[in-house]
Amino acid sequence: MTGKMVLWLLLSCVVTYFVCGIPFGLIVGSKEGHIDIRRVGSGNIGTTNVARSVGAKAAGLTLLLDALKGFLSTLIWSHVFANVLFMGNFERMAPTADFGWMPSIIFLFAIIGHVFSPYLKFKGGKGIAVGFGAALGYIPAVAMGLLLVFLVGAVPSRYVSVGSISTAISLPIWAAIFGYAPTTIYPLIIITLIVVWAHRENIKKLAHHQEKHFSFHHSGDKDKNA
């Protein structure tokens, strides 16, 4: 890599980390429900806990904003890399190409920022919404595959965690199916490991039949453990 490429990559990773670290679930929960989402339900700042502890509207907004920050990160930086480093040659950024790993690294830092938020003492969400958005901005075909896996896992079981964990595991598999370059897939494998790790408590609850089905908070409901 050239010095110019290294500098742009470092800049993009830092910006992505701080942008994707924005805890929209906490912000929306405070604005819509006037509560600190970290102190109710599971204490997680993600869509599921917002849905259970605040309501459908707040959950939808959290989902949208978390997905949007991931989407814009991979989309914008892919364009920046192509224009600044490769004279507008977007083919060099393709996931099957020699520099497809660069947007893949941005994808990884979007997940790192969300799961280890710099604004919450390196705690955060579990990476599903931001991950879907990041995939949509860079590898939309894989994003559709991820959505399919999530629905197949979550809808019949009514466990969001089942859909989420299955989706994370399927990420590098979809990439391999679509013939992406190994250097593009390696960061995706790390993403899978991070997201599965973020769901470690859910895995324990599933194993002990203690995981709760998905539900929305309704006015007058007491706080539920998420």
Side-chain angles (χ1 to χ4, degrees):
M1 290 193 297
T2 65
K4 182 178 181 180
M5 185 179 296
V6 170
L7 288 175
W8 275 101
L9 184 60
L10 288 174
L11 174 64
S12 64
C13 289
V14 171
V15 172
T16 299
Y17 174 71
F18 280 96
V19 169
C20 290
I22 298 173
F24 283 118
L26 178 63
I27 296 169
V28 171
S30 177
K31 182 176 178 58
E32 297 292 329
H34 306 290
I35 61 173
D36 184 339
I37 196 68
R38 297 169 297 178
R39 300 183 182 278
V40 295
S42 67
N44 190 266
I45 64 167
T47 301
T48 301
N49 195 37
V50 173
R52 288 173 173 162
S53 303
V54 184
K57 178 183 175 182
L61 185 57
T62 299
L63 176 64
L64 175 63
L65 292 172
D66 280 346
L68 187 61
K69 67 187 182 184
F71 174 77
L72 292 177
S73 293
T74 53
L75 182 68
I76 290 174
W77 284 112
S78 293
H79 280 72
V80 170
F81 293 152
N83 284 297
V84 174
L85 300 175
F86 302 110
M87 301 178 64
N89 186 354
F90 285 90
E91 292 183 0
R92 302 292 295 277
M93 292 290 100
T96 54
D98 49 353
F99 286 97
W101 58 269
M102 294 184 72
S104 195
I105 290 291
I106 299 304
F107 191 164
L108 172 58
F109 270 82
I111 296 294
I112 292 173
H114 183 76
V115 176
F116 306 104
S117 173
Y119 310 108
L120 300 176
K121 297 181 179 178
F122 305 108
K123 297 180 180 179
K126 297 181 180 178
I128 296 301
V130 69
F132 175 74
L136 195 62
Y138 172 46
I139 40 179
V142 167
M144 293 301 101
L146 297 178
L147 180 60
L148 175 63
V149 171
F150 178 82
L151 293 175
V152 169
V155 173
S157 68
R158 289 181 58 213
Y159 291 123
V160 172
S161 57
V162 171
S164 299
I165 295 164
S166 301
T167 298
I169 293 172
S170 75
L171 174 59
I173 297 173
W174 281 114
I177 290 172
F178 283 105
Y180 294 168
T183 51
T184 297
I185 297 176
Y186 295 150
L188 305 185
I189 294 173
I190 299 174
I191 288 170
T192 293
L193 296 175
I194 291 173
V195 173
V196 171
W197 175 85
H199 284 83
R200 62 195 182 281
E201 292 300 324
N202 301 92
I203 294 172
K204 291 179 182 177
K205 289 179 180 179
L206 286 167
H208 292 90
H209 306 287
Q210 296 174 343
E211 184 76 323
K212 293 184 179 294
H213 290 108
F214 179 77
S215 62
F216 285 111
H217 176 85
H218 298 286
S219 180
D221 286 353
K222 294 181 179 180
D223 293 335
K224 301 174 181 179
N225 294 323

